[in-house]
Amino acid sequence: MPEPSGYTYGTDEAARSPVSLAELDELRGSVGLTSEDEHYLRMAADVLSPQAEAMVDTWRGLIAEQPHLAAYSAHPDGRPNPEYSAASKPRFAQWIIDVCTRPYDQAWLDYQQEIGIRHTRTAKNRTDDADAPDHIPLRHLLAFTAPLILTTKPFLEGHGHSPDQVERMYAAWAKAVVLHVTLWARAYTTPANW
Amino acid sequence: MPEPSGYTYGTDEAARSPVSLAELDELRGSVGLTSEDEHYLRMAADVLSPQAEAMVDTWRGLIAEQPHLAAYSAHPDGRPNPEYSAASKPRFAQWIIDVCTRPYDQAWLDYQQEIGIRHTRTAKNRTDDADAPDHIPLRHLLAFTAPLILTTKPFLEGHGHSPDQVERMYAAWAKAVVLHVTLWARAYTTPANW
């Protein structure tokens, strides 16, 4: 699979994270992410990677049916914006794969800052030169954590793993999602508040 | 059970929420909280209410073993602060019961703002006249969403409900927790960013 357009992971084009690796270590502790969870994220990668686009379709289905969410991927006047959705979809799918496979190191940390600012006035629409609202309020990112976690369970089931393995992959996924969204929130607050 | 000290739910002493009921409706949609979830939250109330203090003990155990979290309930110089922990514990337990039993109406919305500001410079320590750091950064609240969700599963199991019922109570709890934390984040951001 070719790299998605606008996917600048590990390159000089990505933002630098203002978060230190020591702060990241603290956050890993707060969410409870252990090396065992990383093992189960790698296991989940095998299950979720071939389904990543279908997962994005599920999430976008939820977004599409809620006008207050759909607005951010439409044109500013509300007209549908299929070009923007098509351009950003491969990156959204790649995010799922990255959650499960990337080492959570400096390059990964930097890219979470890049993803964060791509939801805000700082950089939304820039990557795809999109004509769309220029800022997604933080509450919508935070609230959508719930479907990002909960809708993933069915994608983990039915692929040959035991119920216990599914449960552990699911818990690891939940922790990882919360960690990612917490880092994205950095783009919305002052350093002292974040 | 008497009401916890400093628990101002539904009184004039609690903050007013700057969030409208229409915005709340949107957030309920974003997290996916339905009337069926509310049914399962009521079911969870019967299971969790008698265990609420034990759940708080579990979470505080996780906080106590991580210095970057423990600091916020200690004295500013790092000495343990058992008076503060004892004073705030009944309210933390009451929160679990409220998540499962309260209608998510204006009084509930107002109290989420009160809980939010009680984590920030605006009002931390005020309720218990506590001698402790005066602000918990947002990232620690957000990251701790993961244990608030994940450690609740075992408390739901083994109380006579079917695996399917447990799963539904668990999903409803996860959505509700995300909704609460999203509202608490309002105290950390500008209106335009939240």
Side-chain angles (χ1 to χ4, degrees), chain A residues 167-183:
Chain A
E167 206 59 39
R168 288 171 192 273
M169 289 190 284
Y170 183 48
W173 172 258
K175 293 174 189 180
V177 167
V178 171
L179 179 61
H180 282 77
V181 176
T182 299
L183 289 166

Side-chain angles (χ1 to χ4, degrees), chain B residues 149-162:
Chain B
I149 293 171
L150 292 164
T151 63
T152 297
K153 184 86 176 273
F155 287 103
L156 291 167
E157 293 168 329
H159 294 272
H161 295 93
S162 70

Side-chain angles (χ1 to χ4, degrees), chain A residues 2 7 11 14 18 29-31 39 49 64 69 80-81 92 125 127 131 136 138 148 153 158 161 163 166 174 180-181:
Chain A
Y7 177 70
T11 74
S30 299
V31 301
H39 167 76
S49 295
L69 297 178
N81 199 337
F92 203 170
N125 302 335
T127 307
D131 174 50
I136 304 179
L138 176 62
L148 289 182
K153 184 85 176 276
H161 296 93
V166 168
H180 282 77
V181 176

Side-chain angles (χ1 to χ4, degrees), chain A residues 58-77:
Chain A
T58 296
W59 299 334
R60 289 195 160 171
L62 295 172
I63 290 168
E65 65 194 31
Q66 301 185 65
H68 68 278
L69 297 178
Y72 299 102
S73 42
H75 286 286
D77 64 5

Side-chain angles (χ1 to χ4, degrees), chain A residues 110-129:
Chain A
D110 287 341
Y111 205 63
Q112 302 324 308
Q113 181 68 11
E114 178 68 27
I115 294 177
I117 64 174
R118 287 187 185 188
H119 289 85
T120 72
R121 284 175 208 88
T122 305
K124 187 168 181 294
N125 302 335
R126 189 178 62 184
T127 307
D128 303 309
D129 194 20

